[in-house]
Structures are given as C-alpha cells and as structure tokens.
Amino acid sequence: MSIPEIAKLGHVSLVTPDLKKSLWFFNDVLGLEITERSQNTVYLRANGEFEHHSLVLKSGDRPYMDHVGWRVKRPEDVEQFEYLLKSSGTEVKKLPKGQESGQGDAISFQMPTGHNFELYFDVEKPLPPEEERSVLKNQTHRSWNRGIAPRRIDHVNLWTSHNPGSAHDWLSTKLGFKMREYVRLNNGHVVGGWMSVTPLVHDIAVMGDPHAATPARLHHVAYWLDNAQDVLRACDILREHRIIPDQGPGKHGISQALFTYVRDPASGHRVELFSNGYLIFDPDWEPVEWKEEELALGLTFWGPTEYVPHRDNHVMDQTTEA
C-alpha cells in the first residue's frame, strides 16, 4: 500500500452573519469569482484557479471558520488516510459526493486543536461564463476582471490556545507536512511553525496564543498576488472602497513575503494578500529556527509591527463544536 499524500490546500469554509455584505467584500473588492450560489452558501475561486472553489461563504448567526479542505494526490488516498487516522484514534466522518458542492467523496475530522479538516480528491472544474473567460487556455477567468483579483489561494494560518508544538507533530506524523520555519522561545517551547506539503514555504501555519478564547481559531486565509506592485495596488483598491487594511503593506522575515492584512467588514474574518517569498525545492531542507529575540524581525522585516491577535479576542474564534 502506497503512503497517502496531501497535494495542496484546497479551500477554506467561512461562516458569516451577513452573507450579502461578506459577498460584496470577497467578490467585488477582493475580486474572487462566484462559481455557484444558493440562498445560504456561495462558492468562489480566484481567476487562476480551475477547481470549483477555494472559498466557501456560509450564512450563520456568528462568524467562525467551518473547516479547511485539503486535496489529496490520488483518489485512493482518501480511503487510506481514513484508515490511518482511525487507526491512530482520530474520529473520522465520511462525506458523500455533493455534500459540499463541486466536491467528491471526502472525509472530515479534527486536529487535536479542534480545527476541522476535510480531505478529498475528486472535484469539479467548471468553465466560467464565456463572456468572463480568459483567452489564455491556462487561466480560467479574465485577468483583472474585478477588484484586486488574486491569482490563487496560498495558505491558511491557524491559532490555538493548546501547545502548538503538539499540533506541528500531529500534522507531520499524521498528514505528512514538513516544517519549514519555526519560532522557539528561550524556555524551549516552539510557539509557531510554518509547514507545507508543496514547494511553498507554508501551506499552513499553526501558532500558539495562550490567551485565545477558544483552542481553535483562524488567524487568516491568504490569497496570492503576482508581485509586490499588486500588493500596493490592492491597498489602493481597499481604500477606494473605504476599507482600511488591518496591517501593512510590509515584508515578513519568515517567508520573505510582501503582505497586507485586511478584514471582511461583515464578519471580521482576516485575509492576507500575499506575494513574493521563496519556494523550497531541496529534498534535504533543514527547518529554519528563529529565536525569541528574533521574533519581531521574523514576523516583520519592515513595515508596521506585526499584529498580535490575542490583544483583541475577536470574532475570529472558532468554537470546537463548529
């Protein structure tokens, strides 16, 4: 039996108390394209994405992250991950094809932190309407069709009041993620780790926040822009819509990426607009350690000081039962 593997970050599913306003933000301002919608759910993707969706918006009474979806490399990997997870004591639920629009058979389970994950392989790849279709065969929607118009989803950043080191170990041993960069405090504890299954410097980051109101929180979902100029253009578009960025523009030391953070005005969900950075192709990559006294440089190489989420225990909290 081959070892099952995760191929990439597939999507993030967010719940908002004002679906109409959140849709204005993600569709009109950020420029994600709608692929399907119902009365209470909207599926969106970036203009360079072929898969059915990379973002799900659902209507609810409060804002929280419903789940993170990961696409596996082979159809049989879904069943193999189910077996391995169950064998190690993780409760796994089967999700039939179509329970989430555009998605085939999947499994659902929780990280030890309480964050909800889904794994799947089969996914629909619908063509956009002809009048919005790119003339490029290797792109779905027209460039700059609306708003900021990111190219693709990049990563998700999760926060927990639990020991993040345990979460990193779980992601490594159970799902095959590799540590790329991490922060170790002077007491020896690892408080943040950037991990990936792709050449990206991170597909997921898990950070520790002992003051969090819940053990499972979303800090942000990141969408990729082609270059630094696009990040600056995004800031102009945000201000033209009377939206003030949460932080940035700036440059991270960890990942070396250009960034701007912004919140959906309807829900408080945070989005990172992300570009540049570096890729990892070395099979023997050694994780980069940042010490406690280097943390400020690691988080913000230049630009506004890194935002510390536990200072405003915000609506970004995800309850473990969600």
Side-chain angles (χ1 to χ4, degrees), residues 224-242:
W224 172 263
L225 305 178
D226 282 340
N227 53 55
Q229 181 59 42
D230 290 344
V231 176
L232 300 181
R233 173 182 174 272
C235 292
D236 283 350
I237 292 173
L238 291 172
R239 292 301 286 126
E240 290 288 0
H241 285 87
R242 307 295 194 269

Side-chain angles (χ1 to χ4, degrees), residues 39-248:
Q39 183 176 356
N40 297 313
T41 307
V42 184
Y43 298 87
L44 305 102
R45 65 183 177 186
N47 64 39
E49 294 175 328
F50 286 83
E51 295 177 8
H52 185 271
H53 58 275
S54 61
L55 183 73
V56 185
L57 291 177
K58 297 181 178 181
S59 179
D61 60 355
R62 59 184 177 83
Y64 61 90
M65 185 183 75
D66 185 67
H67 68 268
V68 181
W70 303 92
R71 193 175 184 203
V72 298
K73 284 193 173 182
R74 297 167 292 268
E76 60 269 25
D77 286 350
V78 176
E79 185 176 351
Q80 291 181 14
F81 267 121
E82 178 186 8
Y83 172 79
L84 292 175
L85 288 166
K86 284 182 175 179
S87 298
S88 65
T90 301
E91 184 177 347
V92 179
K93 178 182 178 182
K94 288 189 175 183
L95 304 177
K97 176 182 177 180
Q99 181 162 323
E100 181 167 310
S101 288
Q103 182 174 291
D105 292 336
I107 58 172
S108 173
F109 55 94
Q110 284 192 345
M111 285 180 61
T113 56
H115 293 96
N116 298 317
F117 280 6
E118 290 182 5
L119 300 182
Y120 60 93
F121 176 79
D122 291 322
V123 63
E124 295 177 11
K125 298 181 179 181
L127 289 173
E130 188 170 353
E131 65 274 13
E132 296 189 4
R133 197 172 302 169
S134 175
V135 297
L136 294 169
K137 292 186 175 182
N138 51 14
Q139 182 173 313
T140 46
H141 300 264
R142 292 184 305 184
S143 301
W144 314 116
N145 196 38
R146 70 184 79 246
I148 293 169
R151 176 77 64 175
R152 58 171 173 78
I153 196 171
D154 191 88
H155 65 266
V156 63
N157 186 306
L158 307 179
W159 285 64
T160 181
S161 57
H162 291 171
N163 173 16
S166 297
H168 302 148
D169 290 343
W170 190 89
L171 286 167
S172 175
T173 58
K174 301 297 187 294
L175 299 182
F177 284 88
K178 297 178 181 179
M179 183 66 74
R180 304 306 195 180
E181 303 195 48
Y182 64 95
V183 176
R184 187 184 299 277
L185 299 183
N186 293 334
N187 61 12
H189 293 163
V190 173
V191 294
W194 288 255
M195 308 181 74
S196 69
V197 291
T198 70
L200 297 179
V201 66
H202 64 313
D203 300 301
I204 186 172
V206 181
M207 322 295 289
D209 178 9
H211 303 285
T214 65
R217 298 181 64 207
L218 169 70
H219 185 264
H220 66 263
V221 55
Y223 273 87
W224 172 263
L225 305 178
D226 282 340
N227 53 55
Q229 181 59 42
D230 290 344
V231 176
L232 300 181
R233 173 182 174 272
C235 292
D236 283 350
I237 292 173
L238 291 172
R239 292 301 286 126
E240 290 288 0
H241 285 87
R242 307 295 194 269
I243 297 174
I244 299 174
D246 211 36
Q247 184 199 348

